[in-house]
Amino acid sequence: DSLVGGKNGHLGIIGNTLGLKIPPGFAITSRCFDVLVRQGKQSAEFDAILRRWQAGDLTTEDASSRLQTLIVSLEIPRKIRREIERAVARRVSGLPSRPTVFFAMRSSAVGEDSEHSYAGQFESVLNVRARDVPEAYKRVLASLYSPRAMEYRRTRQIRESEAIMAVGCQVMIPAQISGVIYTLDVFNLEQDNLLVSSLFGLGANLVGGEQQADTFRMSRKPPHEIHSMKIVHKREILEQDTEKSGLVTTPLDPLLQDSPSLKMEHLRELAQVGMQLERFFKHPQDIEFAYDRQGRLVILQSRQLNIQQSKPNMTCDLSSLEDEFSVLMNKEGQIVQEGVAMGKVYQIESED
């Protein structure tokens, strides 16, 4: 894992040891990060920015902006660029004929999914043309120095010398359906269910919390009966842009807008595979999946699920606030992270 990161390492095991379908791809190792960033021509400038930030001479936002701009501007050494281009060419030549092959560039920082949870802090670059892979690689590397990631390391006393990034380069799956499996429903631990969330098309908006999804709560034990389901109205679908890099949002077929995105046979398969991965990795898993155009299940990622073993004690009685303020939302939406927060509320009149 020190070379390819935990995320890439897990994916290799899932494909090569467990025999499950994963996207074709390769890993750009953490050694390449060292050569490019830590030992490259701009390494002295890079270290100087970090020292000024640690001394309090630069804000986190300023230091982050300078570090990310510096990384994106770096010239990839010829040997590394050539190896990346060869690996891309091998993946393209090994695929059935397609008009254009696109790639997904995903972070796999060392320690990313261990006792430290960097979930959502690093950038993934999707639907990348073969010729643009090297530049997208640098964008993913730069996200190691986002303000959020830098503050996360500082508050947890993780040394900057320990921050290192490998990157996975995967062939994009033209997904008909995408989703996430929690092999243990972290929002209702006492019920011993697993939770599946899904939608039609690509799942980037689901993973990013930008789009509501169908949810299914199922028994963790065979035959994995469905205990509850919530089917949301789905107006749009996220798809690959076949003309250029990037993704496009288009209207979903009206016949599918209120239909479940997963059938019973899908749910049973997902439950079986999810529990297989949990047993193998000996911990509940957070799994991203897709069904391709041939209806085949593809595992995109599996990482240790972050579980809160106990709920925090209430530090104040929130019920008394109802006498002073009106409740704007109650039992609506989907929980992303439990807790209490305060701040300004903005009412959105339209999605435009």
Side-chain angles (χ1 to χ4, degrees):
D1 286 1
S2 63
L3 274 179
V4 299
K7 198 179 294 183
N8 285 331
H10 270 203
L11 205 56
I13 292 170
I14 290 167
N16 298 322
T17 302
L18 299 181
L20 299 174
K21 186 171 179 59
I22 62 173
F26 61 93
I28 306 173
T29 68
S30 58
R31 174 62 180 155
C32 295
F33 171 87
D34 259 343
V35 171
L36 178 63
V37 177
R38 299 264 171 79
Q39 302 170 15
K41 296 178 181 178
Q42 305 297 323
S43 60
E45 182 180 354
F46 183 88
D47 291 340
I49 296 171
L50 278 178
R51 285 196 299 270
R52 291 185 62 194
W53 170 64
Q54 291 165 338
D57 296 333
L58 290 176
T59 66
T60 301
E61 289 72 20
D62 193 8
S64 169
S65 176
R66 295 185 188 204
L67 290 169
Q68 292 191 75
T69 299
L70 181 61
I71 291 173
V72 171
S73 69
L74 293 174
E75 182 177 351
I76 298 176
R78 185 179 304 173
K79 182 178 179 180
I80 294 176
R81 177 179 283 272
R82 187 164 57 243
E83 288 300 317
I84 292 173
E85 291 170 347
R86 285 175 178 170
V88 168
R90 284 196 296 269
R91 298 306 172 274
V92 172
S93 64
L95 293 171
S97 178
R98 287 193 196 176
T100 307
V101 177
F102 293 90
F103 291 86
M105 306 295 292
R106 302 181 185 275
S107 69
S108 186
V110 175
E112 180 173 353
D113 294 324
S114 59
E115 70 274 17
H116 304 299
S117 177
Y118 288 92
Q121 295 187 25
F122 304 135
E123 183 174 5
S124 293
V125 185
L126 304 179
N127 216 47
V128 179
R129 287 181 178 272
R131 65 172 180 264
D132 297 328
V133 164
E135 294 305 310
Y137 165 62
K138 290 192 292 183
R139 282 179 56 188
V140 178
L141 291 188
S143 69
L144 187 63
Y145 295 96
S146 69
R148 183 180 169 194
M150 290 174 68
E151 283 297 337
Y152 180 90
R153 290 192 292 270
R154 175 151 67 179
T155 56
R156 284 157 181 78
Q157 298 182 335
I158 302 171
R159 291 177 295 183
E160 285 300 318
S161 60
E162 297 174 4
I164 192 164
M165 177 80 77
V167 175
C169 181
Q170 305 171 354
V171 173
M172 281 285 295
I173 302 299
Q176 288 186 321
I177 307 164
S178 299
V180 174
I181 309 166
Y182 284 3
T183 61
L184 183 63
D185 182 356
V186 295
F187 306 117
N188 297 280
L189 292 175
E190 66 281 357
Q191 295 184 11
D192 197 37
N193 289 335
L194 62 81
L195 179 66
V196 179
S197 303
S198 63
L199 43 69
F200 293 109
L202 297 171
N205 288 346
L206 165 60
V207 176
E210 300 169 25
Q211 188 173 348
Q212 280 196 316
D214 298 335
T215 54
F216 307 85
R217 284 182 165 83
M218 305 173 62
S219 170
R220 286 162 45 86
K221 299 175 182 178
H224 304 296
E225 295 179 354
I226 297 176
H227 290 167
S228 67
M229 69 172 72
K230 180 182 178 182
I231 309 304
V232 299
H233 181 68
K234 301 171 284 291
R235 292 187 302 173
E236 298 175 328
I237 183 171
L238 187 67
E239 299 179 300
Q240 292 178 258
D241 189 330
T242 56
E243 300 297 325
K244 58 184 179 180
S245 295
L247 307 176
V248 292
T249 300
T250 57
L252 181 62
D253 182 340
L255 296 176
L256 297 176
Q257 290 181 359
D258 294 300
S259 299
S261 48
L262 291 169
K263 298 179 180 178
M264 191 63 225
E265 56 265 32
H266 293 142
L267 291 166
R268 291 264 167 80
E269 180 181 27
L270 291 169
Q272 291 167 4
V273 169
M275 296 312 299
Q276 178 186 4
L277 292 174
E278 178 179 309
R279 287 192 298 271
F280 184 87
F281 290 115
K282 296 180 173 58
H283 195 281
Q285 296 291 295
D286 172 356
I287 303 161
E288 294 180 26
F289 68 87
Y291 278 96
D292 65 15
R293 289 177 181 165
Q294 287 73 46
R296 298 172 299 189
L297 173 62
V298 184
I299 302 299
L300 306 178
Q301 173 180 303
S302 184
R303 62 187 177 198
Q304 182 170 304
L305 182 60
N306 185 22
I307 301 172
Q308 288 185 324
Q309 296 295 342
S310 60
K311 295 183 180 295
N313 294 325
M314 294 290 288
T315 57
C316 62
D317 182 7
L318 298 180
S319 62
S320 63
L321 297 178
E322 294 184 14
D323 298 333
E324 187 176 353
F325 301 100
S326 60
V327 177
L328 298 181
M329 288 180 59
N330 185 25
K331 298 181 179 179
E332 296 183 43
Q334 293 178 299
I335 298 172
V336 175
Q337 178 66 49
E338 291 186 327
V340 176
M342 62 183 295
K344 294 182 179 179
V345 175
Y346 295 91
Q347 182 173 343
I348 300 173
E349 300 292 347
S350 71
E351 293 187 3
D352 300 327

